[in-house]
């Protein structure tokens, strides 16, 4: 397990319980100067999941990013036990920092049931081994404070772009992308105590990492890494369809149907390597050109 993933699992996603429904989380030691949205959503899911019986699995989450988070300060997560029904359980989570709400999320959990079943097919895609690992590019010399340590960030994920990377200036200007992604190391068995929730939280973390790039590719040469635009997640929704392991390769198929009004909309689907659709994602984000 890579050091960044170990910190994510052992520290960042292992929240401190302050009260029955109040938890406290922190950011990694090496972070962006604004808390990564996937981290907040993942921690909020941990908080919600720890108030739900283990016989129920999360099937959806809907979150709103209200303020940028401070990576140097802890985040307090307050859980409202909205409903405990016979089949479904609903939780609402509020993330608070410096006395202000920075994120809200509703999450729904369901007791396993049998029912009708179908899924969209996975597009034919080359295996991940044929693509190099693509980490965050080096920090620009004129941005020494890009992270809390002033160094390039090491993500806890192994990410491999199929179509084009966000910093490839020769890429086709198309509002779509395919990305192979997995945790950078082996995670605990989903059958272990808290294991299923951990894999869900790691996928939630991953779902926010590359999705908005699809909305930027048609408009900015070099994408989000060009420095021409600033991006920020506004709202984020994930639906979990079938069991999966976040430490095995998942194909993240992404497309952007619309951009306008300073915002971009993007949707994504996660497939296992053998073509099983395990989760769907929709996100709208702020996209603003930087003033030179």
């Amino acid at each position: 397990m890579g050091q960044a993933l170990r910190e994510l699992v052992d520290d960042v996603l292992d929240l401190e319980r302050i009260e029955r429904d109040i938890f406290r989380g922190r950011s990694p030691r090496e972070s962006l100067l604004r808390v990564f949205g996937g981290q907040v959503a993942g921690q909020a899911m941990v908080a919600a999941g720890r108030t739900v019986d283990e016989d129920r699995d999360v099937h959806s989450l809907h979150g709103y990013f209200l303020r940028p988070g401070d990576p140097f300060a802890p985040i307090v997560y307050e859980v409202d036990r909205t409903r405990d029904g016979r089949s479904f359980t609903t939780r609402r989570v509020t993330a608070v920092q410096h006395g202000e709400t920075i994120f809200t999320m509703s999450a729904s959990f369901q007791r396993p049931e049998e029912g009708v079943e179908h899924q969209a097919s996975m597009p034919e895609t080359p295996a991940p081994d044929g693509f190099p690992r693509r980490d965050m590019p080096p920090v620009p010399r004129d941005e020494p404070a890009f992270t809390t340590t002033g160094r390039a960030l090491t993500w806890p994920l192994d990410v491999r772009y199929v179509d084009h990377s966000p910093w490839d200036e020769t890429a086709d200007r198309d509002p779509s992308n395919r990305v192979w992604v997995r945790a950078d190391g082996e995670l605990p068995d989903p059958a272990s105590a808290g294991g299923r929730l951990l894999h869900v939280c790691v996928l939630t973390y991953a779902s926010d990492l590359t999705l908005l790039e699809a909305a930027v590719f048609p408009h900015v040469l070099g994408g989000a890494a060009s420095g021409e635009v600033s991006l920020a997640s506004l709202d984020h929704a994930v639906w979990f369809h079938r069991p999966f392991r976040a430490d095995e390769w998942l194909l993240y198929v992404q497309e952007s149907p619309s951009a306008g009004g300073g915002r971009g909309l993007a949707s994504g689907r996660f497939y296992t390597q053998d073509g099983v659709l395990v989760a769907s994602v929709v996100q709208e984000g702020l996209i603003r050109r930087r003033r030179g």
Side-chain angles (χ1 to χ4, degrees):
M1 183 183 294
Q3 181 178 348
L5 180 62
R6 186 177 303 280
E7 184 178 17
L8 178 69
V9 172
D10 294 343
D11 296 328
V12 177
L13 293 180
D14 188 15
L15 303 185
E16 175 190 359
R17 188 187 290 269
I18 301 175
E19 270 289 350
R20 177 171 179 258
D21 295 333
I22 302 177
F23 303 83
R24 180 163 51 205
R26 69 168 189 85
S27 296
R29 297 174 185 84
E30 188 171 272
S31 303
L32 299 173
L33 288 183
R34 180 177 62 192
V35 175
F36 172 53
Q39 172 197 317
V40 181
Q43 289 179 325
M45 180 52 65
V46 172
R50 288 187 178 176
T51 69
V52 177
D53 292 340
E54 285 210 359
D55 67 338
R56 303 191 176 202
D57 295 326
V58 59
H59 74 85
S60 68
L61 68 87
H62 297 72
Y64 283 89
F65 298 92
L66 305 178
R67 294 179 175 88
D70 177 2
F72 297 100
I75 304 173
V76 174
Y77 295 89
E78 303 171 353
V79 182
D80 174 37
R81 301 186 182 223
T82 308
R83 181 176 184 268
D84 288 296
R86 287 181 295 179
S87 299
F88 290 88
T89 294
T90 305
R91 295 290 183 262
R92 181 173 175 81
V93 184
T94 303
V96 178
Q97 198 175 50
H98 301 309
E100 296 184 315
T101 300
I102 66 169
F103 177 75
T104 63
M105 183 188 78
S106 294
S108 182
F109 300 74
Q110 181 187 16
R111 190 188 303 275
E113 295 183 22
E114 296 292 331
V116 299
E117 188 165 333
H118 71 272
Q119 68 158 72
S121 299
M122 183 177 80
E124 187 172 341
T125 304
D129 293 342
F131 301 94
R133 175 171 174 152
R134 302 301 294 264
D135 290 309
M136 175 80 73
V139 178
R141 292 184 179 179
D142 58 348
E143 296 185 28
F146 186 70
T147 67
T148 53
T149 62
R151 300 191 302 266
L153 191 65
T154 301
W155 293 101
L157 305 169
D158 186 346
V159 178
R160 307 192 183 195
Y161 289 90
V162 176
D163 298 310
H164 35 243
S165 74
W167 50 88
D168 184 356
E169 296 187 357
T170 64
D172 293 333
R173 301 164 76 89
D174 183 77
S176 64
N177 204 7
R178 291 172 296 170
V179 179
W180 287 107
V181 61
R182 66 179 176 183
D184 188 22
E186 185 176 355
L187 296 173
D189 191 328
S192 63
R196 293 198 308 276
L197 179 62
L198 177 61
H199 284 259
V200 163
C201 293
V202 172
L203 185 144
T204 300
Y205 180 100
S207 68
D208 186 44
L209 184 59
T210 61
L211 189 54
L212 274 185
E213 293 165 358
V216 178
F217 284 135
H219 309 288
V220 179
L221 193 63
S226 68
E228 293 185 27
V229 292
S230 59
L231 304 179
S233 302
L234 294 174
D235 57 358
H236 193 79
V238 186
W239 293 264
F240 300 93
H241 309 307
R242 296 168 182 85
F244 62 91
R245 290 190 65 110
D247 55 1
E248 295 180 351
W249 284 117
L250 297 170
L251 179 66
Y252 197 7
V253 180
Q254 307 162 64
E255 62 181 1
S256 173
S258 177
R263 306 184 311 278
L265 181 69
S267 63
R269 302 189 302 276
F270 281 97
Y271 292 91
T272 63
Q273 273 196 279
D274 54 358
V276 177
L277 178 63
V278 298
S280 299
V281 186
V282 176
Q283 180 181 86
E284 188 172 49
L286 188 69
I287 303 176
R288 285 177 174 159
R289 289 190 181 273
R290 299 181 188 273
R291 297 179 179 178

